[in-house]
Amino acid sequence: MRSKARVAASFLFCCVALPLGIAPSAGCGEDGSAPYAGWDTAEDSGNVYRVRFLAPPWKRVPTTDGDGRIELVVPPVFGSLDAGAPPKFRLEASLVRGLALPTLQAEIARIGGALVLRDPAPFTTLSSDIGFTAVVADRTNARFYQLVTLAAPGDRALLVVVQLNEDPRNDLEVDAMLRAIDVRPFAE
Amino acid sequence: MRAANCHYFAALALSGLTLLLASAARADEPAATAIVPPALARDGAARAADGTALPIAAADSDAPSESAAGLGEPPAGVAPRRAEPLPAPVDDDPPWAGPRVELGYTHYSLGDGFGGGAVHAVSFGGYLPTRQLRLGLIGDGGARDYALGGGDAVLRATLVAGWQGVGLVDYVMPYVVAVASCGVVVGQRFATTFADALLGLGVEIGFEVNPVRTLHFGASLAHVRADLDGLGYGLWVLRLFVGL
């Protein structure tokens, strides 16, 4: 009888007390399975657009207040911004006057020695902002560029340039980052 | 009370009678003459069923008889050699009473937010022979699917402590344990390597089927609240295992 009671007590302890006592106290942070869980958000000084990025490895580079720019980099060496080599990734976002497609074409022309790997094509973000994207390679410095322009309020376009060492056409991480860009009015 | 005593004595008498009959039946059996084939005997000597050595002649009457009668005395200075007595043959090893070890497959989902996160791992571990207290350690290592790039490596150690139903059901032993795990997830994000700690607490239920001696196989399901780099996860951990 005594052993049965001991069995019942240990069973209750394991089935009820332990789960109720310790399990809820573990893993109380943000739900890691949610989209973009753990990603930070950078917002421009004019509060017109915002960019999501995973930090680390991404780091925000301080920019002059009021210019509406956001610059993010992945340092060539973990945790270091000035290791001498160009960053693995660099994202620059800025607001420019004009429409999305002409802005994109002008930017392609501006990159010297550019080889267009993907012609300008329509692009839609997760928050349903509409624009265009293109992929070019700069033969002079062996760098790749993914360009995105999105329509922004006030006859402006948001120009986003991602510079990297590998061809971004199959880079799903860069694609996920670009699709998370949100232009005012912000999606909740 | 009197009726209970009566039943008790009746049962006692019946048991005694059964024992007597069994003893009598054994006494009536003819003397064992079965011979173990000489080839199977360890020392080459024929043995009766009870293990005692029989004379060679009793084992095979056609075989030429040998005896020491026709042999002369050994030359001076040569001592006769005596065969070393062999250890008594062991019929059956006692069951292993040490820790049990298990090899298994573990599956759970550590979601990455983009549709990936399934973890497939190989586990190895065991538990101590502490009767109804189940106390063990399991290590597992495997790969985590990452939807936006190459997979991550996951290494985990899990401490389990709880109750197990020893002797509750024939061949099957259920158990319920608390689990505490720690580990590491190593991978790459944006071409940069990271290593994050994975910690978890939860509860696991499972069972073992024990068909022969210590060989067992089983399955378990655990719910673990885990923390990975400040993010929370509710993991359902399935484990299939086979062990000794």
Side-chain angles (χ1 to χ4, degrees), chain B residues 75-102:
Chain B
V78 176
R81 289 187 293 179
R82 306 273 182 208
E84 292 292 328
L86 290 174
V90 179
D91 288 340
D92 198 9
D93 294 330
W96 169 248
R100 302 287 180 92
V101 291
E102 296 169 352

Side-chain angles (χ1 to χ4, degrees), chain A residues 7 10-11 14-15 18-19 22-23 26-27 29-39 54 57-58 74 78 88-89 172-173 176-177, chain B residues 110-114 132 146-148 161-163 176-179 188-193 200-203 225-227 230-233:
Chain A
V7 168
S10 56
F11 185 81
C14 292
C15 288
L18 279 176
I22 60 175
E30 179 189 356
D31 178 14
S33 300
Y36 297 96
W39 289 46
L54 182 66
W58 285 91
V74 175
F78 186 78
K88 292 177 184 174
F89 296 83
L172 298 177
E173 287 182 315
M177 194 171 173
Chain B
L110 199 59
D112 63 1
F114 299 99
Q132 288 177 331
Y146 176 48
L148 305 182
W163 169 85
V176 183
V177 291
V179 298
Q188 282 208 325
R189 296 290 181 272
F190 294 96
T192 304
T193 303
L201 286 172
V203 64
R225 289 296 306 171
D227 181 284
L231 300 175
Y233 294 86

Side-chain angles (χ1 to χ4, degrees), chain B residues 169-193:
Chain B
V169 187
D170 284 346
Y171 304 110
V172 178
M173 184 175 72
Y175 65 88
V176 183
V177 291
V179 298
S181 63
C182 66
V184 64
V185 179
V186 181
Q188 282 208 325
R189 296 290 181 272
F190 294 96
T192 304
T193 303

Side-chain angles (χ1 to χ4, degrees), chain A residues 145-163:
Chain A
Y145 297 81
Q146 179 154 9
L147 313 170
V148 172
T149 52
L150 297 168
D155 294 332
R156 290 181 297 179
L158 172 64
L159 171 64
V160 182
V161 181
V162 180
Q163 194 181 134

